Structure formats: structure tokens, C-alpha cells
Amino acid sequence: MSKQRTPGITDPQAKTLRVLCEILDATGLPPTVQELADALGISHASAHEQLGQLVRKGYLSKQERKARSIVVIKRLA
């Protein structure tokens, strides 16, 4: 199975978006940054940075200082 490049985002960002969507679909709630970090096996700071990049690139929106405020704007195909 070959990896398909996702235009505009890096492979780690694509993985973050994929896992975030999986959690959202399974629970009906967006994950906290810590829950996402745990699911990805990365630090809280790294997960926060990945989310920030996805917000800047238009894949997510998020309210600052509010838990579970992540909204998916664009999903991966």
C-alpha cells in the first residue's frame, strides 16, 4: 500500500487530522488536546502545534482556551 500525499499538509498533520476525525466519529465529541496527544503517542505540545498548523491551513477551527472546541472544516478524502 503506497502513501498518498495530501496537498497542503504534512504526513504528521494528515495523521493528526485522521485520528481527530476517528475520535470525533466514535464519540460524537472532539478530543481534548491531551486525548489527541495520547492517541497519537506524542506530547501535548506537539499535538497543540499540529492543531495550530491545521487551523492555519484551514482544515480546523478552534476557540482559544476552550476545551473540546475543535471543529473540522475539511476532512481528508
Side-chain angles (χ1 to χ4, degrees):
M1 175 164 41
S2 65
K3 277 192 173 181
Q4 216 174 14
R5 296 289 295 163
T6 305
I9 62 175
T10 65
D11 289 341
Q13 290 165 357
K15 181 180 179 184
T16 298
L17 184 57
R18 234 181 265 102
V19 169
L20 188 149
C21 288
E22 288 170 5
I23 294 169
L24 180 59
D25 292 344
T27 65
L29 293 171
T32 64
V33 177
Q34 188 60 56
E35 289 169 345
L36 185 60
D38 292 344
L40 292 166
I42 61 177
S43 70
H44 180 278
S46 293
H48 190 271
E49 180 60 29
Q50 293 288 342
L51 290 174
Q53 291 293 331
L54 289 166
V55 167
R56 283 189 279 286
K57 292 180 179 185
Y59 284 83
L60 303 175
S61 70
K62 182 177 180 304
Q63 291 181 345
E64 290 298 317
R65 302 191 185 280
K66 186 171 180 191
R68 300 188 188 278
S69 65
I70 301 166
V71 176
V72 178
I73 296 171
K74 290 189 230 177
R75 286 183 179 246
L76 299 177

